[in-house]
Amino acid sequence: MRTQAESPSNIALVKYWGKHGLQLPLNPSVSFTLSHSTSQTRIHWKEAPEFGYSFRFHGKEQKAFTPKLDAFFERIMESAPELSTQQLEIESENSFPHSSGIASSASAFSALSLAIEEGIRQLRNKPQVDLNRASEWSRLGSGSACRSLFPKAAVWGAHPNIEGSSDIRGLDVSQRLHPVFEDFHDVILLIDEGVKSVSSTAGHALMDGHVFGKARIQQAFDHVEEMMDILSTGDLQRFIELVELEALTLHALMMSASDPYLLMRPGTVAAIESVRQFRKETDTNICFTLDAGANLHLLFPAASEQKVMPWVENELSMLSNGRYICDRVGNGPKWSSAI
Ligand code: DP6
């Protein structure tokens, strides 16, 4: 049997930062699902006396991925016992340059989980894939990956005022979006394409006992609720304020950890200043956000594209040697199989 899946990356508006237990978040988060930044994963399934797998990324074996993949398979085995008699040959590729410093674990683990779920569906003769289970498995590979299974926007983490929200999987909130957000753009400025000095996993660990930990968790619960209100009403002014506050808070938490570190580069700070100046001078709806890295994401509605893109091309991208990726809110993953 062969199965395949294509799944996008996502960009958090309210950030997941800190975890406990088996990949459970300390706080809820909300993200936009992207469109062009995807991973494609193909699996060739062969019956075998015991479980095993091989993994090739862009045609090459990548030993660096083995610890995360081993942990992932160990964690999902209980809910996918069929795997214990399968040998999987996995091939994966990213649509975006894999050295670009763009978080690829979200697209990688969601595509892998979905390609596995499609195979399990076949083996169990089920009519449909279970996206919730694929989301649960994705979380076990990389927390933020569980939000990539759903179109447009997803919430991850149990919130008392968001029905259906859960710590173990993402929740599709696409139906609650105001139309202005349905085709929102995300231009990713590739300011630093190198490997990050501190991984997200190490960063999450520094939230244990963080001096601002308790306040951050409370803030994130409040921000998720506020963001859901903003996403349904289409209030761009509040969106801009909240998204930038979240990005700067994330990096402030890194800078104020017990072992402090800094992932922004001089180009990141210059680009932030530039976005704020451009917004003020041109009265354009645009804001920035950051993941745990130096690359700046520019978020803006489709209606701002004509104003924003010439400025990005002619001015802002000088801060990233002309390197940027144009993405936008997308419709979630795709999958298929052949026997
Ligand atoms: C800053 O999901 O990459 O991008 O669960 O250890 O794999 P692991 O971490 P990961 O953390 C992403 C953190 C973030 C914010 C977010 O996407 O919510």
Side-chain angles (χ1 to χ4, degrees):
M1 171 170 67
R2 286 173 197 276
T3 61
Q4 57 180 358
E6 177 178 301
S7 190
S9 189
N10 66 72
I11 179 69
L13 307 171
V14 177
K15 311 291 180 180
Y16 144 56
W17 202 236
K19 56 182 166 179
H20 66 103
L22 204 53
Q23 293 281 101
L24 300 168
L26 286 183
N27 65 268
S29 54
V30 194
S31 58
F32 279 152
T33 304
L34 296 179
S35 173
H36 305 315
S37 305
T38 60
S39 296
Q40 291 83 32
T41 299
R42 294 174 300 285
I43 306 180
H44 188 187
W45 303 59
K46 280 192 215 143
E47 290 234 3
E50 58 179 22
F51 173 71
Y53 75 91
S54 62
F55 183 83
R56 292 170 80 83
F57 185 64
H58 285 266
K60 287 199 199 107
E61 254 185 67
Q62 292 276 357
K63 290 267 176 279
F65 298 152
T66 307
K68 271 202 148 185
L69 285 168
D70 282 352
F72 168 75
F73 280 113
E74 205 180 299
R75 290 167 184 171
I76 71 166
M77 201 54 80
E78 199 180 276
S79 54
E82 290 87 344
L83 289 178
S84 63
T85 54
Q86 295 288 334
Q87 180 72 38
L88 308 181
E89 262 173 39
I90 308 165
E91 305 246 4
S92 195
E93 277 125 41
N94 286 351
S95 64
F96 47 96
H98 57 272
S99 63
S100 66
I102 293 299
S104 57
S105 63
S107 56
F109 277 105
S110 54
L112 176 59
S113 299
L114 197 50
I116 293 171
E117 167 57 16
E118 170 59 14
I120 298 289
R121 179 192 75 75
Q122 293 270 350
L123 295 172
R124 293 184 190 171
N125 278 319
K126 292 270 195 249
Q128 273 173 356
V129 303
D130 183 345
L131 286 178
N132 284 331
R133 188 167 47 200
S135 174
E136 258 177 78
W137 289 344
S138 302
R139 182 198 102 238
L140 294 170
S142 177
S144 57
C146 76
R147 299 185 307 236
S148 275
L149 276 302
F150 307 103
K152 295 188 174 98
V155 165
W156 170 42
H159 191 295
N161 299 334
I162 301 177
E163 209 189 319
S165 60
S166 158
D167 279 355
I168 62 170
R169 67 176 85 90
L171 173 71
D172 176 354
V173 292
S174 58
Q175 297 303 317
R176 309 180 200 186
L177 285 195
H178 184 280
V180 74
F181 294 117
E182 293 198 352
D183 55 358
F184 232 66
H185 288 243
D186 179 7
V187 170
I188 309 158
L189 215 55
L190 301 175
I191 288 167
D192 188 344
E193 305 191 34
V195 176
K196 288 183 282 191
S197 55
V198 179
S199 70
S200 285
T201 305
H204 287 295
L206 286 168
M207 287 308 289
D208 292 341
H210 193 294
V211 63
F212 300 132
K214 222 172 137 202
R216 164 57 189 162
I217 293 170
Q218 184 56 51
Q219 181 199 43
F221 273 82
D222 295 345
H223 282 179
V224 164
E225 193 162 0
E226 195 182 342
M227 184 56 77
M228 290 312 294
D229 185 58
I230 292 169
L231 291 178
S232 65
T233 55
D235 188 335
L236 289 175
Q237 200 46 51
R238 279 168 68 213
F239 178 84
I240 287 168
E241 282 164 21
L242 192 53
V243 165
E244 293 193 353
L245 173 57
E246 269 294 313
L248 294 177
T249 299
L250 172 71
H251 284 255
L253 288 166
M254 297 172 192
M255 292 182 223
S256 53
S258 57
D259 191 3
Y261 64 106
L262 203 110
L263 293 182
M264 286 192 215
R265 309 300 308 144
T268 315
V269 178
I272 288 173
E273 301 283 356
S274 195
V275 170
R276 290 187 151 177
Q277 196 181 347
F278 175 77
R279 181 167 67 220
K280 207 165 146 197
E281 282 173 2
T282 64
D283 200 19
T284 306
N285 286 315
I286 183 169
C287 60
F288 67 82
T289 190
L290 289 157
D291 269 344
N295 298 322
L296 204 71
H297 290 244
L298 308 174
L299 298 178
F300 54 92
S304 298
E305 186 180 5
Q306 301 256 329
K307 248 158 110 184
V308 171
M309 288 319 294
W311 165 69
V312 169
E313 209 169 311
N314 301 325
E315 282 184 45
L316 189 69
S317 63
M318 287 190 344
L319 297 168
S320 63
N321 283 326
R323 304 259 299 147
Y324 59 91
I325 294 173
C326 295
D327 212 329
R328 59 197 300 165
V329 168
N331 290 325
K334 298 178 197 144
W335 59 93
S336 67
S337 64
I339 308 289

